[in-house]
Amino acid sequence: VQLQASGGGLVQAGGSLRLSCVASGRTFSRYTMGWFRQAPGKEREFVAAINRSGYRMEYADSVKGRFTISRDNAKNTVYLQMNSLKLEDTAVYYCAGDSAIAVITAGYDYWGLGTLVTVSS
């Protein structure tokens, strides 16, 4: 599966952004999807994940209550709604997919190119 993320940009602290990731192919509903991010000088880290049906989600502690992951299998798209953005949310955000049945926070097989989110003060 090929993944294409979009929606990044420059936003002030406290603001919101919604990232989208469109997957190619007709088997999107068979993939657990996740979002990861990599800040300058830091390792890539898990942000959020959602299972195939969209009924189970996992979040990193740092984004719980502020970020929401969702998916629309009819549109082959996974979203990341980011609210109350903080300076430390600045990073390149990547979407990822895996054929795992359960929600997973690592070990994804498929990765898209990232989209840059910059949070300013």
Side-chain angles (χ1 to χ4, degrees):
V1 61
Q2 292 184 324
L3 305 172
Q4 179 64 57
S6 62
L10 176 64
V11 62
Q12 286 191 324
S16 299
L17 276 178
R18 188 176 81 157
L19 305 183
S20 300
C21 176
V22 179
S24 63
R26 296 177 290 180
T27 59
F28 177 72
S29 61
R30 297 181 184 178
Y31 293 92
T32 285
M33 300 298 297
W35 285 97
F36 292 75
R37 67 186 181 186
Q38 187 167 18
K42 296 186 177 181
E43 294 187 351
R44 187 169 59 193
E45 63 176 2
F46 168 76
V47 175
I50 189 167
N51 74 337
R52 298 174 174 185
S53 63
Y55 288 106
R56 291 203 63 182
M57 290 78 80
E58 292 285 343
Y59 295 94
D61 288 342
S62 59
V63 306
K64 280 182 181 177
R66 300 188 298 120
F67 290 12
T68 301
I69 188 171
S70 62
R71 67 190 296 162
D72 185 337
N73 286 344
K75 295 182 179 180
N76 282 12
T77 303
V78 61
Y79 304 97
L80 185 68
Q81 177 66 44
M82 305 185 294
N83 299 328
S84 302
L85 283 161
K86 303 177 180 180
L87 296 179
E88 53 264 41
D89 294 320
T90 294
V92 176
Y93 284 72
Y94 300 88
C95 64
D98 195 273
S99 57
I101 296 175
V103 176
I104 57 174
T105 62
Y108 282 75
D109 287 335
Y110 303 100
W111 293 84
L113 296 177
T115 185
L116 176 63
V117 173
T118 303
V119 183
S120 65
S121 59

